[in-house]
Amino acid sequence: MKVAIVGASGAVGQEFLRVLDERNFPLDELVLFGSSRSAGRKYTFRGKQIEVKLLQHNDDFKGVDIAFTSAGAGTTKEFCETITKHGAVLIDNSSAYRMDADVPLVVPEVNPEDALNRPRNVIANPNCTTIQMVVALKAIENLSHIKRVHVATYQAASGAGAAAMDELYEQYRQVLANEPVTVEKFAYQLAFNLIPQIDVFTDNGYTKEEMKMFNETRKIMHSDIQVSAMCVRVPALRSHSESIWVETERPISPEEAREAFAKGEGLVLMDNPEKKEYPMPLFLAGKDPVYVGRIRKDLANENGLTFWIVGDQIKKGAALNAVQIAEYLIKVGNVK
């Protein structure tokens, strides 16, 4: 098994290295690719140093079985044919092909079989906020069909990359030192603030991030589910949080929901209000599952239920989800 990582020096690329190692992923050879800025850097994987190669239009992907890409939609579109022409399965972490009809959009806990039908040998990794939400929604959908979802997201700085995390640290330091605040990665200062915009606005007043949650959820769940999202950047470092309201075809009690979440694949129930136990991003960075708490009836809707989830968006929201897709393909013998 020969595996490639494209975008190896980025936050998600580095997470790929950690996840592959943590999960003892069955590979014989690992090759790393990057831009001219990162080419030549060396990273240690399983005791061996690997040098990042410059991503080029050549035959470097000959013999590669699985290629994980996290270098932006533009790079994916430019190099897709180069990566796949010798038979490699491309598992892409960008938005390049997520909504293309001939590219499966996969969350292994929800729709793993979709990964088997890939005409272009490309599989898309969904948006991080969508991934953790549908893992939780799947447990409820198994009880009763979900008609509507309202979701407010509280997205950490790391969703904008490693440099954004560094900027948040620096902003806090600058504010406390009474220095001018550096603002480069976000539209405004994030330290001591909230920014109710992630990605650019579309014609309907929703941002692209919010529309991703609408469109991707329907594709992944093969459902007519209606999703209305409000995505907010918050001054947490890592792990996204979401407050979710669902309307189901029949009423679901909090007790029934708790049992479903407790048994749900990829979920951990953390719901004990009396002891102030509920998911919080500060304590769940670096964890694999999606954590669920604050489960209760929606007071405004007889068929409504509301709950709170937290997941590490660099891990489950990106690298881990992609690696789980690859593990599924290997398990069912669906790699070239």
Side-chain angles (χ1 to χ4, degrees), residues 49-188:
Q49 277 210 326
I50 305 173
E51 185 172 323
V52 177
K53 301 175 72 171
L54 178 64
L55 181 64
Q56 300 178 83
H57 291 292
N58 54 23
D59 289 330
D60 278 350
F61 287 88
K62 199 168 187 177
V64 170
D65 297 287
I66 295 171
F68 299 107
T69 58
S70 185
T75 299
T76 293
K77 289 179 178 179
E78 180 184 348
F79 286 92
C80 180
E81 189 175 332
T82 296
I83 294 169
T84 59
K85 69 180 179 181
H86 295 295
V89 179
L90 192 164
I91 303 177
D92 180 47
N93 197 59
S94 81
S95 62
Y97 301 122
R98 285 176 185 158
M99 297 312 299
D100 286 24
D102 57 353
V103 175
L105 186 66
V106 177
V107 176
E109 294 90 342
V110 182
N111 63 330
E113 298 85 0
D114 286 5
L116 305 179
N117 181 20
R118 46 177 197 278
R120 293 155 66 181
N121 229 13
V122 177
I123 301 169
N125 218 29
N127 187 47
C128 52
T129 48
T130 305
I131 289 174
Q132 65 187 69
M133 182 172 75
V134 298
V135 171
L137 293 184
K138 174 66 172 174
I140 300 300
E141 181 71 17
N142 289 341
L143 300 175
S144 176
H145 176 55
I146 300 170
K147 296 167 65 177
R148 292 181 186 84
V149 174
H150 291 88
V151 56
T153 72
Y154 306 78
Q155 298 179 221
S158 52
M165 296 171 72
D166 293 340
E167 181 169 302
L168 181 59
Y169 268 121
E170 181 65 7
Q171 286 182 352
Y172 274 120
R173 188 198 65 76
Q174 289 169 331
V175 171
L176 295 173
N178 201 26
E179 297 175 1
V181 176
T182 301
V183 178
E184 293 177 352
K185 295 298 177 182
F186 304 106
Y188 298 93

Side-chain angles (χ1 to χ4, degrees), residues 252-323:
I252 293 173
S253 70
E255 293 73 27
E256 192 178 4
R258 284 189 191 95
E259 184 178 355
F261 287 136
K263 294 177 179 176
E265 186 181 354
L267 295 170
V268 171
L269 182 66
M270 186 182 286
D271 187 42
N272 192 341
E274 289 183 2
K275 294 185 178 180
K276 298 180 182 176
E277 292 177 358
Y278 30 69
M280 289 181 280
L282 178 63
F283 306 108
L284 299 177
K287 305 290 187 182
D288 289 359
V290 174
Y291 293 79
V292 190
R294 295 297 318 276
I295 302 160
R296 59 209 189 276
K297 287 289 291 183
D298 184 347
L299 296 179
N301 189 330
E302 177 60 30
N303 285 17
L305 190 76
T306 182
F307 52 92
W308 169 262
I309 66 172
V310 174
D312 186 320
Q313 91 294 342
I314 301 179
K315 204 161 196 188
K316 179 54 187 168
L320 175 60
N321 195 78
V323 171

Side-chain angles (χ1 to χ4, degrees), residues 223-276:
S223 171
D224 59 355
I225 187 171
Q226 300 288 320
V227 179
S228 183
M230 174 73 174
C231 294
V232 182
R233 186 74 69 192
V234 300
L237 272 175
R238 182 164 169 162
S239 294
H240 290 350
S241 306
E242 300 180 15
S243 188
I244 300 172
W245 292 259
V246 299
E247 179 186 341
T248 49
E249 287 188 339
R250 69 165 179 86
I252 293 173
S253 70
E255 293 73 27
E256 192 178 4
R258 284 189 191 95
E259 184 178 355
F261 287 136
K263 294 177 179 176
E265 186 181 354
L267 295 170
V268 171
L269 182 66
M270 186 182 286
D271 187 42
N272 192 341
E274 289 183 2
K275 294 185 178 180
K276 298 180 182 176

